[in-house]
Amino acid sequence: MVATAATASLFPISSPQPDSGVKNPGKHGGCLGNVDVRGIKSKSTSSNGLQVKTNAQAPAKVNGTRIGVMDGLKTDDISTSSAPRTFINQLPDWSMLLAAITTIFLAAEKQWMMLDWKTKRPDMLVDLDPFGFGRIVEDGFVFRQNFSIRSYEIGADRTASVETLMNHLQETALNHVKNAGLLGDGFGSTPEMCKRNLFWAVTKMQVLVDRYPTWGDVVQVDTWVAASGKNCMRRDWLIRDCKTGEILTRASSNWVMMNKVTRRLSKIPDEVRTEIEQYFVDTPPIIDDDSIKLPKLDEHTADHVRSGLTPKWSDLDVNQHVNNVKYVGWILESAPQPVVENYELASITLEYRRECMKDSVLQSLTALLGGEGAVDSGGVDCQHLLRLEGGGGEIVKGRTKWRPKFVNRFKNISQFPSESG
């Protein structure tokens, strides 16, 4: 009905004019003027007051075949009763068009409101963050953001890599500061920190992965901050599966302040502490601190060494040092290939010692705790060191724990008998 009304308003249709009542007397005393040669009564057509009649004669015969002949068109009875067509009276009825548009919008709004109140299915997102912008929850102490695992974030195992998860951790940390209104012109720095050329630097990161998400999964990341000692801050994360609520990853980190000019550590100024302490949560770390002391690792005690690692321009952040997530990839460069192919990373602990700049050349060292024979056991523990090449200073020290992959419970597919045999 709405479409009909809108169409009628744009294209008005004139009503048919009544018969003029003029009759043409004929041989049989009837109205022969409206009867064609086949005996079928034809209707007078009118268009804008103009009536058109056809005048037909009996068909002639040629060689015994009857041929229809039309003598022509005869027009008469031009009616002048209707008003002449002008530009003004040709315009559509805009009031009807506006009424139709209003009706459509009201119906669409009603449907939208009905969708908002519908009960959500269990397989839908458990949190209202459909666009992944994130929001602050838990009375302003926790920042929550959803991420969809993209095809370019998964590896050969069809699961997200540990670097992908750590990128999500870093993104939520920065968005937390931004949504709290504390983001200055620096990379996660508050306004008071920017005035003093200060920025945050991570000193320790611990990540425990219970299960890696796969392509298409939507994960929910929660993060919060707490005090850690006198001049440190702790940030924790919790990653869940949005559909099931299953905990996938837990992570905890410690942060200190560094001066952008002197590149030295700095105490937390009182003005900065006033800015951030209102967001501190009084809770214990989500992961117990890993304080295991490991033996010294160098080129003589390492089982695998990878040299000549250099940062690219894309590896630097806005503070002109290598992004801390990049270190994970460099550490795994020297991991034994049988471990990478047959095991998955269950946990990683990183201790950041110094900055890595764009001109640095690095060396990655890995030692298997327990020797090479530990690869065949139920799990593998590794010790890692990332340092400047040529026996230079330590950049990152790390420890990793690996567990067998589920798909590798049969060890190696090459052990299965060949079908051709």
Side-chain angles (χ1 to χ4, degrees):
M1 292 300 291
V2 173
T4 304
T7 306
S9 65
L10 290 174
F11 306 101
I13 304 173
S14 59
S15 59
Q17 298 292 333
D19 252 339
S20 62
V22 179
K23 298 182 180 179
N24 294 331
K27 181 178 179 181
H28 300 286
C31 298
L32 299 180
N34 291 340
V35 180
D36 65 7
V37 295
R38 292 167 295 181
I40 301 175
K41 186 176 181 180
S42 62
K43 295 183 180 179
S44 298
T45 59
S46 62
S47 175
N48 302 323
L50 180 63
Q51 294 186 347
V52 180
K53 296 183 179 180
T54 60
N55 187 17
Q57 295 180 353
K61 290 185 178 181
V62 178
N63 296 330
T65 304
R66 181 171 296 181
I67 300 175
V69 179
M70 180 176 291
D71 288 343
L73 294 175
K74 181 180 179 181
T75 62
D76 62 349
D77 295 340
I78 299 177
S79 175
T80 59
S81 59
S82 60
R85 299 172 67 89
T86 64
F87 175 76
I88 299 300
N89 60 26
Q90 292 296 313
L91 291 176
D93 189 349
W94 294 109
S95 60
M96 296 183 63
L97 180 60
L98 291 175
I101 295 175
T102 303
T103 303
I104 294 173
F105 274 98
L106 290 176
E109 183 181 10
K110 182 178 180 181
Q111 290 296 325
W112 181 260
M113 295 297 294
M114 292 175 64
L115 287 174
D116 282 348
W117 287 100
K118 284 183 179 179
T119 304
K120 291 180 171 55
R121 304 190 308 270
D123 60 338
M124 296 179 70
L125 296 181
V126 297
D127 186 57
L128 300 177
D129 186 20
F131 300 107
F133 294 148
R135 61 194 182 102
I136 294 179
V137 297
E138 303 293 340
D139 297 327
F141 291 103
V142 176
F143 179 76
R144 177 172 295 167
Q145 187 171 3
N146 294 339
F147 294 92
S148 178
I149 304 301
R150 311 297 183 182
S151 59
Y152 52 81
E153 295 176 323
I154 63 175
D157 301 325
R158 300 187 180 186
T159 59
S161 63
V162 66
E163 291 98 323
T164 294
L165 298 181
M166 294 187 68
N167 280 325
H168 292 167
L169 303 184
Q170 179 174 281
E171 182 69 12
T172 52
L174 293 173
N175 288 337
H176 185 191
V177 178
K178 179 179 179 181
N179 277 261
L182 295 177
L183 187 64
D185 59 356
F187 197 53
S189 300
T190 67
E192 290 295 334
M193 292 173 63
C194 293
K195 293 178 183 179
R196 295 162 174 80
N197 289 321
L198 300 176
F199 66 93
W200 290 109
V202 61
T203 59
K204 190 173 184 177
M205 173 78 74
Q206 293 179 252
V207 181
L208 299 180
V209 182
D210 295 327
R211 180 175 71 82
Y212 287 91
T214 61
W215 175 37
D217 288 349
V218 180
V219 296
Q220 181 188 85
V221 184
D222 288 0
T223 185
W224 57 94
V225 292
S228 178
K230 192 173 183 180
N231 285 297
C232 295
M233 182 185 72
R234 190 188 81 240
R235 178 175 286 277
D236 292 345
W237 293 271
L238 188 64
I239 301 180
R240 295 187 181 92
D241 187 310
C242 267
K243 183 182 293 186
T244 64
E246 174 192 2
I247 295 177
L248 304 179
T249 304
R250 292 166 290 160
S252 184
S253 60
N254 292 329
W255 300 75
V256 296
M257 284 193 180
M258 181 176 288
N259 189 286
K260 189 180 298 186
V261 178
T262 64
R263 316 306 286 189
R264 296 181 179 274
L265 297 180
S266 172
K267 294 183 178 180
I268 300 179
D270 293 337
E271 294 81 0
V272 175
R273 191 180 300 276
T274 302
E275 283 182 320
I276 63 177
E277 66 181 0
Q278 58 181 316
Y279 299 98
F280 286 172
V281 179
D282 187 15
T283 58
I286 197 170
I287 300 176
D288 293 334
D289 185 42
D290 182 5
S291 57
I292 300 176
K293 299 297 182 181
L294 296 174
K296 184 179 179 180
L297 182 60
D298 54 26
E299 65 273 13
H300 303 292
T301 59
D303 298 313
H304 302 270
V305 178
R306 178 71 183 273
S307 302
L309 301 174
T310 57
K312 300 186 295 292
W313 179 257
S314 59
D315 297 329
L316 305 179
D317 59 25
V318 297
N319 293 319
Q320 298 300 310
H321 64 192
V322 174
N323 188 289
N324 64 81
V325 178
K326 182 62 181 178
Y327 295 135
V328 179
W330 282 337
I331 283 177
L332 299 182
E333 284 285 344
S334 61
Q337 197 64 25
V339 173
V340 175
E341 292 180 354
N342 297 287
Y343 295 80
E344 67 178 10
L345 190 62
S347 67
I348 183 171
T349 300
L350 301 175
E351 297 178 5
Y352 298 88
R353 299 297 187 182
R354 60 185 298 174
E355 288 184 286
C356 177
M357 311 306 289
K358 62 180 180 179
D359 297 326
S360 302
V361 181
L362 307 178
Q363 188 179 54
S364 178
L365 300 88
T366 296
L368 296 174
L369 299 178
E372 292 286 349
V375 177
D376 296 329
S377 64
V380 178
D381 292 348
C382 295
Q383 180 183 355
H384 307 273
L385 175 64
L386 191 65
R387 68 179 185 180
L388 295 175
E389 198 169 71
E394 297 179 345
I395 303 293
V396 179
K397 295 177 64 175
R399 296 177 293 280
T400 56
K401 291 181 179 293
W402 304 73
R403 57 174 173 254
K405 294 179 180 177
F406 176 78
V407 296
N408 287 313
R409 62 170 58 187
F410 298 108
K411 297 297 181 184
N412 196 321
I413 193 171
S414 62
Q415 297 177 357
F416 284 92
S418 174
E419 292 183 1
S420 60

